[in-house]
Amino acid sequence: MFSQLRPLFPSSIESIGQLKGRLNEYAHSFVNSTVRSDESFWQKNHFQAAKLLKTRSDIYITKPDKGSGVVILNCDDYSSKMATILEDTNKFQSLGDLSADHTLRTEIKLQKKLLQLYKNNFFSKEVYSLIRPVGSQRPRMYGLPKIHKPNSPLRPILSMVGSVQHGLAKLLVEILDPVVKFYSIHCIPDSFQFASSIRNLCPSIDTKFFVSFDISSLYTNVPPDETISICADFLCRGPTETPRFPENVFIELMEMATKSVAFSFDNMMYRQIDGVSMGSPLGPSIANIFVGFYERLLFNNMPKPWCYVRYVDDTFASFRSREAACSFFQHLNKLHPSLQFTMEEERDNMLPFFDVLMERTPVFLTSIFRKPTFTGLYLSWYSFAPKRRKKDLIRTLTHRALTICSSSRLTPELHKNKEIFLSNGYPEQLVSYTIRSKVDNFNRAKVLLVAPFISNFRG
């Protein structure tokens, strides 16, 4: 039906998405009917185009580093950018071609070490069974383009799932949990808490200037030896319980999970000798501990800003003046050679941070921030996915708007969400009803009544 209307000129681009949504809603009532392949939404030329793209060896199809969408890169450009990253001999060591892949040998070595620790009662049989590597695969390196930055540089990602060290890394994350908590007192878990904390602040003389600090390439610049030493010192001599195994064993396991990881890219083998990789379960923990350690040293020698919150490598802070912010910025860049910060200043009393746009008026206002590269691409209504999942997506984005946006910024955000879903083919009636019901449930007062249980009660 839609193809027959193509000769007609639409009143607006939005009306095309709305029409598709309505037609698709009507088609659901005939879902059990036989549909001819040449009359389906996906035409023959669509499949031919997809197959052609798949067979082309001169392009690389991937997703962007942040947000949703599809990025098509020239293979030579992609390989050149990855080679520039891997040719840094201070970060990576070249091991040769795939004949240097010793995944099986590394697996056997780790199996023997874990078996020895299990026999010495350092962990239970259940834990040993979970972390013991069996049938491991070689880690692979790939890059995701940062399309929001000039020339679209790549962020290196190491796929560790199913690798020799993956189970061990997950165990070490649990062991490092008290260290992470100790060095994360200024951290926020998500954008919801950040928006709530900003709205609860009262403007004062100390809130005249807002900035955000970002650490350049944090993961690849974290020194593993120094960070492992910080962790070992805290676990063995800090205000925590005695660790489950000796310090030398902990250091050995940490080095096996970080510095001993060999991976492949373009049929060549490499090993990361400095920094940690995104994709490893240990990456966020180690990065948080390293930054938090020097963050505490900084505030031991100077007062903390009136408002200061951090999420891994991004920091939001407020100061009395721009001069005070610049002075603090200089102190940050003197903390450690591996920590190089950049600073973004507020503009027109507004500053984006952590997908939240903070606006300073007589009161603090928050709303959703979308980068200029935002595509509006979400799960399509025409995709082969359960209808329940599509409804949940509407509820999720509505909940995000209700939680982050101030009351005066909520209505435009809900309208924006509706336009996004209509452009992805969602039926207008379904979108409006789901958003309205989610808003009503969110605003409805909730009363919790706790009734005691009385066994064998007789009236």
Side-chain angles (χ1 to χ4, degrees):
M1 292 177 64
F2 180 76
S3 62
Q4 295 176 15
L5 298 175
R6 285 182 178 176
L8 302 179
F9 188 77
S11 59
S12 65
I13 297 178
E14 289 77 11
S15 63
I16 298 178
Q18 297 176 13
L19 175 60
K20 288 182 179 180
R22 291 196 180 99
L23 292 177
N24 194 70
E25 186 177 16
Y26 300 147
H28 269 277
S29 59
F30 303 95
V31 68
N32 294 323
S33 303
T34 302
V35 180
R36 291 172 52 185
S37 59
D38 58 341
E39 295 179 351
S40 64
F41 177 76
W42 285 98
Q43 300 293 328
K44 184 178 180 180
N45 58 333
H46 291 134
F47 291 102
Q48 290 177 343
K51 289 181 179 179
L52 177 62
L53 288 174
K54 185 177 180 180
T55 57
R56 288 185 57 174
S57 59
D58 60 328
I59 61 173
Y60 179 75
I61 304 176
T62 183
K63 62 180 181 178
D65 174 53
K66 294 182 179 179
S68 57
V70 179
V71 181
I72 301 180
L73 302 172
N74 183 286
C75 267
D76 293 337
D77 292 341
Y78 174 76
S79 299
S80 176
K81 291 179 180 180
M82 286 298 297
T84 302
I85 296 173
L86 295 173
E87 286 173 357
D88 185 355
T89 55
N90 294 323
K91 304 294 181 183
F92 300 97
Q93 176 188 4
S94 177
L95 303 178
D97 56 22
L98 294 182
S99 61
D101 178 17
H102 303 306
T103 302
L104 180 59
R105 185 185 306 175
T106 306
E107 180 182 83
I108 294 174
K109 179 181 178 180
L110 183 57
Q111 285 177 346
K112 292 180 179 179
K113 183 63 180 181
L114 295 177
L115 179 61
Q116 177 186 356
L117 295 175
Y118 165 64
K119 290 182 177 180
N120 292 333
N121 297 319
F122 285 120
F123 39 70
S124 64
K125 183 178 181 180
E126 290 75 14
V127 173
Y128 171 71
S129 301
L130 288 174
I131 65 175
R132 179 177 180 268
V134 178
S136 305
Q137 61 184 7
R138 178 178 67 247
R140 296 179 299 104
M141 177 76 78
Y142 62 94
L144 293 181
K146 304 177 184 179
I147 60 175
H148 57 285
K149 294 187 177 182
N151 200 29
S152 299
L154 299 180
R155 182 188 299 277
I157 307 292
L158 185 60
S159 177
M160 289 281 291
V161 178
S163 64
V164 175
Q165 300 87 353
H166 190 252
L168 174 61
K170 295 174 68 175
L171 173 67
L172 291 172
V173 169
E174 297 181 8
I175 296 175
L176 291 175
D177 184 63
V179 192
V180 174
K181 290 180 179 178
F182 181 79
Y183 289 117
S184 301
I185 58 175
H186 301 296
C187 291
I188 50 174
D190 49 50
S191 56
F192 302 137
Q193 182 172 324
F194 172 70
S196 176
S197 61
I198 288 295
R199 288 196 300 268
N200 291 332
L201 293 177
C202 296
S204 67
I205 193 174
D206 295 321
T207 60
K208 286 187 174 181
F209 196 77
F210 290 97
V211 296
S212 65
F213 303 108
D214 178 57
I215 304 176
S216 303
S217 304
L218 171 62
Y219 280 77
T220 54
N221 286 314
V222 172
D225 290 332
E226 182 180 354
T227 310
I228 291 174
S229 177
I230 293 172
C231 298
D233 184 69
F234 181 89
L235 289 174
C236 298
R237 287 171 288 277
T240 59
E241 298 180 0
T242 305
R244 62 185 74 181
F245 29 70
E247 181 177 2
N248 63 319
V249 175
F250 169 76
I251 293 176
E252 182 181 2
L253 292 178
M254 286 288 292
E255 290 177 346
M256 294 179 69
T258 54
K259 301 176 63 176
S260 300
V261 179
F263 61 89
S264 65
F265 174 77
D266 197 19
N267 296 324
M268 296 294 291
M269 295 296 300
Y270 301 88
R271 176 181 290 112
Q272 187 165 2
I273 57 179
D274 191 22
V276 294
S277 297
M278 292 193 68
S280 170
L282 273 171
S285 298
I286 291 180
N288 247 326
I289 292 170
F290 177 68
V291 177
F293 176 80
Y294 283 96
E295 187 178 65
R296 293 182 71 94
L297 291 181
L298 174 67
F299 294 141
N300 286 339
N301 299 320
M302 64 180 302
K304 184 172 70 71
W306 180 77
C307 178
Y308 182 92
V309 292
R310 177 174 60 87
Y311 182 80
V312 189
D313 59 345
D314 292 325
T315 304
F316 175 86
S318 66
F319 299 89
R320 290 176 176 265
S321 63
R322 185 180 185 276
E323 290 72 20
C326 293
S327 176
F328 186 81
F329 176 59
Q330 293 176 359
H331 283 89
L332 287 177
N333 279 318
K334 295 178 181 178
L335 281 176
H336 193 279
S338 297
L339 295 176
Q340 295 301 313
F341 291 80
T342 60
M343 184 176 72
E344 181 180 359
E345 304 175 8
E346 65 170 83
R347 294 181 181 179
D348 299 326
N349 294 329
M350 292 187 294
L351 179 70
F353 178 77
F354 204 13
D355 295 334
V356 177
L357 181 61
M358 197 283 301
E359 183 177 355
R360 181 160 51 85
T361 64
V363 295
F364 292 132
L365 302 177
T366 56
S367 57
I368 305 294
F369 173 74
R370 296 180 177 89
K371 289 183 172 64
T373 54
F374 176 72
T375 61
L377 181 63
Y378 285 101
L379 178 66
S380 173
W381 180 259
Y382 310 106
S383 63
F384 189 73
K387 193 174 182 179
R388 178 185 60 187
R389 185 178 299 176
K390 300 169 186 176
K391 291 181 179 179
D392 288 342
L393 177 59
I394 302 175
R395 297 188 186 99
T396 298
L397 293 188
T398 305
H399 178 79
R400 183 179 73 157
L402 290 166
T403 309
I404 291 180
C405 294
S406 302
S407 56
S408 60
R409 301 292 186 266
L410 178 59
T411 301
E413 178 61 27
L414 294 178
H415 182 70
K416 176 67 176 178
N417 283 345
K418 183 177 179 180
E419 292 180 347
I420 291 173
F421 283 112
L422 292 180
S423 65
N424 281 275
Y426 285 65
E428 182 179 9
Q429 184 177 1
L430 173 67
V431 174
S432 299
Y433 173 78
T434 307
I435 292 178
R436 185 169 59 252
S437 61
K438 177 64 179 179
V439 172
D440 292 341
N441 291 334
F442 188 86
N443 293 331
R444 187 177 297 120
K446 297 179 177 63
V447 179
L448 177 64
L449 299 178
V450 180
F453 173 75
I454 303 177
S455 178
N456 299 324
F457 175 77
R458 295 181 181 180

